[in-house]
Amino acid sequence: MGSKPQSNKEASMWPKGFGVKLETITPFLGKYRPFVGRCCQTCTPKSWESLFHKNIAALGFYNVILVTEENTRYRGWLVRRLCYFLCAMDWKITPTPDTGEKILGSKWIFSWALLKFLNCIFLNVQLHQGQLAMVRQAAQVKDTPLIFLSTHKSCLDGLLLPFLLLSQGLGVLRVAWEPQSYSPALRALLRHLGGLFMPPEANFFLDNPKGILPRAVLSAAIEQLLASKQPLLIFLEDPPGAVGPRLSSHGQAWLGLVLQAFREGTIPDAALVPVGIGYDLAPDVQHAGPWASSCPLGLWWWALAVFRGLRGRRGCARIDFAQPFSLQEYSVNTWSRGRSKGQSLEQLLLQTVLGHWSVLPDCEKQQEWTPMSGPFMALEEEDQLLVSRLSRHVLSASIACSAVMATAVMAALLLHRHREGVFLSRLLENFSWLTEETLLRGFDVGFSGQLQDLVMHGLCLLHGSLSLWLLPQGDVLVLPRAGPTLAQLAFHSAALLPVFLCEAVGACAVRALLAGRVPPEGPWELQGVELLSQRELHRQTLLLLHLLPQDLLLLQPCQSSYFYCQEVLDRLIQCGLLVAEEAPGTRLTCDTGNWRFGEKMLWRSMEDFSDSDSDYEDGTDSRCFKLSQQLRCPDFFLFLCRLLSPLLTAFARAAAFLHQGKLPDTEAGYTQQLHQFLLKKAQEDGSFESTDLSQAHSAVMTFKDLGVLKEQPDSTGSTLHLSPIFTTQENQEKLENFIRQFICG
């Protein structure tokens, strides 16, 4: 995993133009690696300048589960030499009767057992020493506890991170666990190891007196823990396989308790550390996909993980720590920028879907899917909004610093680029290409080494979803297996979506613009003739951004959707998919001699200023673009569109299901109806990548926000009803066609 820093000579060889790369640079072999995890310069400028120096990026990686004599200060060497000496002297040592009890009662016995367990299920667990150095510096700040805010990719995360920090001398990490996800026996074991569980009574509504005392006790316990400067781990995502919003209500509740302790002066500040976790193959990956199970995990899970490791299905793991930042600085800067609630999705998009509006409202989308918990509702309204913003901000940072693993690259290639099969020689080339594209976008990968070894490693881990055929000429044909196993490829390939999300949104927006002009199956040369104005591209991109759930986009609260639209356009130009085209009767784009700074330029905020604004004036929206005619562009464009196709296909089928669904029904009941419909359609056309239960839930929640489904309270809670507007087949078809315009076949 370790890599050498990039020399100045190699850095100068990288062009800064439209994504052109030199063949002599092979980043994943160690010549270039981006240092990920810098904190937000807009929200925390002081933290961005601290805890970082240029030498940190040059530090390499090491395997934390590989214990050598150097790690133990050669204690094992000394013990072995002493044993040799005693054996040579023929000394007999009589064991004491309580030897076994002393061993089992040792405080180190679980660390030893956990180390053996991790070596059974992982080939290695990699950590960047520069990131660890930043965390060590943050831990030295007086009266400032460390709060680790992590993604949640496996139920093993809560054991792996404490072991890692303890082995690096950063103290015992207290983990806030989700109690509903584990059996009583496993909860007892985790509590014995220092785990924290929120009392069920703490989630009672505020008008229930039974929840007052548990919340008070919980707040006091957190204040005492933070005052003693013990590090705390909070998961911002729900456990794997959970159906619901991506942001965890449980995690937000714990973060709210930390904020409350800060507000009350128990701690002067807290260092927030986003954590990204990546696995080649998580031990509990079988809980994801259409067969997701909501049963609590028990001790049998440990045996299953070890059994899979002994069968040879051992992958790699990677832990990334982003740059720590100050809670006090973030809270001050967030409120200094004011607050804007935005408009609902129904207000922004419904009239456009029905064809009544051609101009979108100039407003941000408001979408909050995370259910409220008792400790969260006990906060002041301003603190609730701060916790919500902070959670999205940190989760976005955690995902941005998470390394892309070999299985994600392999699954994305096989699912979205080589669905009909590919020769191994061609797969080697594309694996190298996609790895390089990932690194060039500022994301890191969790692997390095010889190309052929990496590809074979990924194929071995994904062998259950693939078929390999040895051909007479000596090559190997790799075929994704048709059927439900495609959902496994979709699960792994989803880790690559954040890397190409900007370009994928832009490609789908371009696809929507071309849908009404040229046939989708038409040749690339015919589509490249069409002129695409910047105003049209901006509008279609904004439509898609409004449609996609915030759980997928995870836009940081300090970033507006209009700025994101401009970033999408810039990315399409930089990667070479779009080229500037002069519209008839307009001044040449390259003619910069007469450009002037107008009034509109002078008052623009810094977040709306980008490289593409150097020639900004009132006529900028009239600029036009065409699809590039480079040979690589058609395949790359199709690959980008297909990254979003699984979710958009589920949304389109949810629209088609409106006239078949049985309403009224509860939200959970209607989600199950839709899920069964998605499985039925997948049996017909093989699109099992669009059958995840979370996709069905996301579609239902989006349709609620859009006003397609209405929620009405009743005696048992609330039920969903079809909106009167969408009882007609005409409007149902308008909704489906609106979604399908973004889907590329």
Side-chain angles (χ1 to χ4, degrees), residues 176-198:
W177 294 94
E178 170 64 49
Q180 285 77 19
S181 302
Y182 305 95
S183 66
L186 190 54
R187 285 202 301 269
L189 175 60
L190 295 176
R191 188 178 290 108
H192 180 71
L193 297 174
L196 302 175
F197 290 91
M198 187 174 294

Side-chain angles (χ1 to χ4, degrees), residues 240-282:
V243 178
R246 188 171 191 172
L247 273 174
S248 168
S249 60
H250 183 261
Q252 288 195 353
W254 284 103
L255 186 56
L257 293 171
V258 174
L259 179 63
Q260 185 178 4
F262 165 70
R263 293 289 197 199
E264 294 177 356
T266 304
I267 52 175
D269 197 0
L272 306 182
V273 186
V275 183
I277 304 176
Y279 297 101
D280 269 334
L281 192 64

Side-chain angles (χ1 to χ4, degrees), residues 324-631:
F325 64 93
S326 166
L327 173 62
Q328 187 269 345
E329 182 185 12
Y330 180 86
S331 59
V332 170
N333 291 339
T334 297
W335 289 118
S336 65
R337 290 194 300 268
R339 51 184 295 184
S340 58
K341 291 188 175 181
Q343 293 184 357
S344 66
L345 184 61
E346 182 177 358
Q347 295 171 317
L348 291 174
L349 206 58
L350 180 59
Q351 297 304 317
T352 304
V353 170
L354 299 177
H356 299 160
W357 284 355
S358 59
V359 179
L360 292 178
D362 185 6
C363 190
E364 295 292 321
K365 178 178 69 172
Q366 179 188 15
Q367 186 182 67
E368 294 293 341
W369 290 357
T370 307
M372 297 294 184
S373 59
F376 184 82
M377 291 186 296
L379 298 174
E380 299 290 337
E381 183 180 357
E382 293 183 352
D383 288 344
Q384 291 182 12
L385 182 58
L386 179 60
V387 169
S388 178
R389 288 181 173 180
L390 180 59
S391 301
R392 285 166 43 204
H393 203 293
V394 176
L395 184 56
S396 176
S398 299
I399 293 174
C401 78
S402 299
V404 178
M405 308 304 290
T407 49
V409 176
M410 184 64 63
L413 286 173
L414 294 174
L415 184 64
H416 301 306
R417 186 157 187 172
H418 301 296
R419 185 72 170 264
E420 304 301 325
V422 60
F423 294 115
L424 182 59
S425 56
R426 177 65 172 168
L427 187 59
L428 290 170
E429 297 175 4
N430 286 338
F431 189 94
S432 176
W433 161 78
L434 192 53
T435 300
E436 189 170 342
E437 292 290 339
T438 300
L439 292 168
L440 287 174
R441 283 160 176 79
F443 285 77
D444 201 1
V445 293
F447 52 86
S448 66
Q450 295 296 322
L451 178 59
Q452 186 172 358
D453 295 338
L454 294 172
V455 171
M456 295 307 299
H457 172 71
L459 292 177
C460 289
L461 292 178
L462 298 175
H463 74 276
S465 305
L466 307 174
S467 296
L468 304 180
W469 298 85
L470 181 61
L471 303 180
Q473 58 269 33
D475 207 342
V476 177
L477 179 64
V478 183
L479 284 170
R481 291 183 179 178
T485 55
L486 287 176
Q488 285 287 346
L489 292 180
F491 174 80
H492 289 291
S493 66
L496 199 69
L497 181 57
V499 180
F500 296 93
L501 185 57
C502 266
E503 292 93 331
V505 169
C508 291
V510 172
R511 168 68 182 86
L513 280 178
L514 295 175
R517 304 183 185 181
V518 296
E521 64 278 1
W524 182 260
E525 294 78 8
L526 180 61
Q527 300 184 39
V529 174
E530 295 294 323
L531 282 178
L532 308 173
S533 71
Q534 180 168 332
R535 182 181 291 106
E536 291 175 324
L537 287 169
H538 188 279
R539 180 179 182 275
Q540 289 299 127
T541 303
L542 195 58
L543 286 174
L544 183 55
L545 287 180
H546 287 336
L547 177 65
L548 294 174
Q550 284 186 356
D551 278 7
L552 177 71
L553 296 172
L554 284 178
L555 296 182
Q556 295 184 349
C558 59
Q559 183 182 23
S560 69
S561 58
Y562 289 87
F563 172 73
Y564 190 83
C565 289
Q566 187 60 52
E567 184 180 356
V568 167
L569 179 58
D570 291 342
R571 289 286 190 92
L572 292 179
I573 297 173
Q574 290 168 5
C575 71
L577 284 178
L578 289 183
V579 293
E581 183 73 16
E582 309 302 339
T586 60
R587 179 170 27 177
L588 296 177
T589 303
C590 58
D591 181 13
T592 60
N594 294 324
W595 291 110
R596 298 179 181 272
F597 288 103
E599 293 182 1
K600 194 170 184 179
M601 182 68 170
L602 297 178
W603 59 258
R604 299 184 78 206
S605 61
M606 287 304 296
E607 75 166 6
D608 294 326
F609 191 86
S610 61
D611 293 339
S612 63
D613 298 322
S614 58
D615 54 355
Y616 188 92
E617 68 167 16
D618 293 343
T620 303
D621 286 347
S622 63
R623 290 188 300 176
C624 295
F625 302 90
K626 282 185 178 180
L627 288 175
S628 173
Q629 296 302 308
Q630 297 181 26
L631 292 178

Side-chain angles (χ1 to χ4, degrees), residues 165-181:
L165 295 175
L166 182 62
S167 65
Q168 302 305 314
L170 289 173
V172 179
L173 180 65
R174 307 299 296 271
V175 183
W177 294 94
E178 170 64 49
Q180 285 77 19
S181 302

